Amino acid sequence: MNQRTLALIAVFIATLIYGLNYTIAKEVMPIYVKPFGFILIRVVGATIIFWILGLFFKIEKIEKSDYKTLLLASFFGVGVNMLSFFKGLSLTTPISASVMMVTSPIMVLIFSSILIRKAIGKQRIIGVIIGLMGTILLITYGNSSNTGATNSNWGNFLVFINASSYGLYLVISKKLVEKYQPITLVKWLYLLGLIFVIPFGYNELIEVDWQEMPTNIYFNIGFVVFFTTCVTYLFNLYGLSKLKPTTVSVFIYLQPVIATIYALIAGSDSLNPVKISATLLIFLGVYLVTKQVEKSTK
C-alpha cells in the first residue's frame, strides 16, 4: 500500500471519528456532564496526552514575539471554538450541528479577506452568499421536534460561532503552523486554552456524579478525549503531509453524511425539509468557495 493510499485512509478515519462524535458527545450532555464541564475534561485530557507525546520529540522554543499570536490562536481555536461547539451541540441535534460545521471554509475565506487582504473573486462571493443563506435558514427555521434539541435556534447559532471561531483560528495560526513543529504548537495551544476553559468548566465539572454514570458514558467521554481530540489531529496531520490541502478539505463534506447516518441509526435525530434545504445551500456555497480556490492554486 503506497503512502497516498495510507494518507487517504488516515484522513477518512479522522472524518469518520468526527462524524460519529456528534452523536457520541451528545449522549453525554447535558444529562451526565454539562457542556462546559465536558470541554474542561476534554482539554485537560488532550493537554496531558500532547505534553507526554512532546517528551518524544525535539521541541522548539517559542519566540517571545509569537506568544501574542499563540494566545489569540488558543483563545479562538480551543476556548471559543470548543466551548461554543459543545454548548451548541447540547442544545441542538447532531445533524444540524454537523451541517453548520461545514461553513468553516466560508468563514476562512471571509476572515482571510479581512485580515490578510486576500482577494475574493465573483464566484467565491456568490458561494459565501449562498452558504450564509443556508446558515441563516438553519439557524432561524431549523427547529426540531426531536427531544434531544432543547433550543435548536440558539444551539445552531452557537455551532455557527464555533465554525467561525475555528475559521478565524486557521487564519491567525497560519504563520505559526509554518514556523513550528505541529506537536510544539498543539501542546502550547491546549495548555493556554486550558486557562480560558477552566473558569467556564470548573463548576460544571465538580457537579458530575461519577458513581452514577453508566459505563457507556465513560466510554463516550474517553472517545471524545482520545479519538476526537488526539487521534484525529495526528491522522489529519499525516494526511496533510502526503496530500494536497484541497484534497484533505474535501473530506469535510463527509462529516454531515456520516453524522446523519449514525444519528438516524442511533435514533438521536431526524430529517426534515428545512434541514435538507439548508444543507444543500451550505454545500453549494462551500463548493463554490473551494472550487475557486482550487482553480487559483492551479
Side-chain angles (χ1 to χ4, degrees), residues 99 102-103 105-106 109 122-135 252-253 256 275-293:
V99 169
V102 182
T103 59
I106 294 174
L109 182 66
K122 288 182 180 179
Q123 181 176 308
R124 289 189 289 187
I125 291 173
I126 294 170
V128 168
I129 293 169
I130 292 173
L132 291 180
M133 283 171 58
T135 303
I252 196 171
Y253 288 101
K275 285 181 186 176
I276 294 170
S277 302
T279 301
L280 292 175
L281 283 172
I282 291 171
F283 271 45
L284 177 59
V286 174
Y287 171 76
L288 290 173
V289 166
T290 54
K291 179 74 172 177
Q292 181 73 6
V293 171

Side-chain angles (χ1 to χ4, degrees), residues 175-291:
K175 289 183 179 179
L176 294 175
V177 171
E178 293 170 352
K179 190 172 183 179
Y180 298 104
Q181 287 186 32
I183 194 69
T184 302
L185 195 57
V186 76
K187 60 183 277 191
W188 280 106
L189 281 172
Y190 272 91
L191 184 62
L192 293 173
L194 189 57
I195 298 169
F196 297 122
V197 170
I198 287 174
F200 292 92
Y202 178 75
N203 287 333
E204 291 189 359
L205 181 60
I206 61 176
E207 290 176 7
V208 177
D209 190 346
W210 297 99
Q211 293 181 337
E212 295 296 321
M213 192 179 290
T215 305
N216 67 300
I217 299 301
Y218 278 103
F219 168 78
N220 287 18
I221 293 172
F223 180 93
V224 171
V225 172
F226 183 73
F227 287 100
T228 307
T229 308
C230 301
V231 172
T232 52
Y233 176 83
L234 295 172
F235 277 29
N236 275 328
L237 183 65
Y238 178 74
L240 282 168
S241 69
K242 306 296 179 186
L243 304 167
K244 292 180 181 178
T246 48
T247 303
V248 176
S249 66
V250 168
F251 279 83
I252 196 171
Y253 288 101
L254 280 177
Q255 279 192 41
V257 177
I258 295 167
T260 299
I261 293 170
Y262 187 65
L264 293 174
I265 291 171
S268 62
D269 203 351
S270 58
L271 284 172
N272 59 42
V274 172
K275 285 181 186 176
I276 294 170
S277 302
T279 301
L280 292 175
L281 283 172
I282 291 171
F283 271 45
L284 177 59
V286 174
Y287 171 76
L288 290 173
V289 166
T290 54
K291 179 74 172 177

Side-chain angles (χ1 to χ4, degrees), residues 83-137:
L83 289 170
S84 58
F85 174 57
F86 267 34
K87 184 65 176 178
L89 182 58
S90 72
L91 297 172
T92 187
T93 63
I95 293 175
S96 294
S98 64
V99 169
M100 199 61 70
M101 272 301 297
V102 182
T103 59
S104 283
I106 294 174
M107 302 315 297
V108 168
L109 182 66
I110 292 173
F111 288 127
S112 294
S113 68
I114 295 171
L115 297 177
I116 59 177
R117 300 289 191 270
K118 184 176 180 179
I120 302 180
K122 288 182 180 179
Q123 181 176 308
R124 289 189 289 187
I125 291 173
I126 294 170
V128 168
I129 293 169
I130 292 173
L132 291 180
M133 283 171 58
T135 303
I136 293 168
L137 178 65

